[in-house]
């Protein structure tokens, strides 16, 4: 299993500002995934981040709005840019389990409220 | 493309009663299937997974799920509900030989009454 730490755990932000969420994993992983969970809804994949290459974004998500960094095999950041109240969500970092089981491990999430 | 459908956004049971949470999947290739649980204000925790071994999968906390290819289903059950089972449950699917990204269902909120 992997232990995933996210910062901040929660924040209240003003409209128009940007916030960067950090994700630290206790082991080296190839792929990291960023999900969004809007209030009362399920998880939606934002992008897949591989070390050494640009992130791959899912339909409906763009790099200008959600830039991602992946500087090494244990760390990634997701920035939510030019925030609006619609961006109020929980943002979760996840990593694939070992042995190619398809399982994902999740951090506890970063709960953002945009006023 | 893969997808999962969870029937029933809310399920309520009495303590000690059978829990049945429904999940149907769509996949063009044999899938991996998962059930995750999310307790209030916490992250997701894996309950169990199906990865082509036994079709009846046992997980943590007394939960189990059966993969039925003919019905494209992966329903989650527990014989006797506990108050502590109250949470949000998500079914998820991934490609067997894909990129490990998971596609989640819309979730089912389980309430357990005394």
């Amino acid at each position: 299993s992997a232990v995933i730490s996210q910062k901040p755990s929660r924040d209240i932000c003003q409209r128009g500002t940007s916030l960067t969420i950090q994700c630290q994993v206790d082991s080296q992983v190839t792929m990291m995934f960023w999900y969004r969970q809007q209030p009362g809804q399920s998880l939606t994949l934002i992008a897949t981040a591989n070390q050494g290459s640009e992130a791959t974004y899912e339909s409906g998500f763009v790099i200008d709005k959600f830039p991602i960094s992946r500087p090494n095999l244990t760390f990634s950041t997701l920035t939510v840019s030019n925030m609006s109240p619609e961006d109020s969500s929980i943002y979760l970092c996840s990593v694939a389990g070992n042995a190619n089981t398809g399982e994902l491990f999740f951090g506890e999430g970063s709960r953002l409220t945009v006023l | 493309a893969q997808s999962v459908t969870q029937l029933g956004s809310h399920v309520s049971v009495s303590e000690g009663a059978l829990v049945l949470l429904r999940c149907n999947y769509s996949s063009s290739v044999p899938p991996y299937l998962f059930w995750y649980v999310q307790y209030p204000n916490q992250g997701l925790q894996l309950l169990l997974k199906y990865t082509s071994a036994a079709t009846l999968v046992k997980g943590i906390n007394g939960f189990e799920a059966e993969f039925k290819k003919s019905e494209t289903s992966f329903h989650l059950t527990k014989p006797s509900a506990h108050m502590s089972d109250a949470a949000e449950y998500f079914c998820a699917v991934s490609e067997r030989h894909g990129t490990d990204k998971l596609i989640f269902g819309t979730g089912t909120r389980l309430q357990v009454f005394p």
Side-chain angles (χ1 to χ4, degrees), chain B residues 99-112:
Chain B
T99 58
D100 293 324
K101 68 180 184 182
L102 295 185
I103 307 300
F104 284 84
T106 51
T108 298
R109 181 167 299 277
L110 176 66
Q111 288 184 304
V112 182

Side-chain angles (χ1 to χ4, degrees), chain A residues 31 35 37 42 58 103-104, chain B residues 36 38 49 99 101-102 105:
Chain A
M31 287 189 288
Y35 282 84
Q37 186 179 20
S42 186
E58 298 297 306
E103 172 185 351
L104 292 186
Chain B
Y36 282 83
Q38 186 178 36
K49 60 188 176 188
T99 58
K101 68 180 184 182
L102 295 185

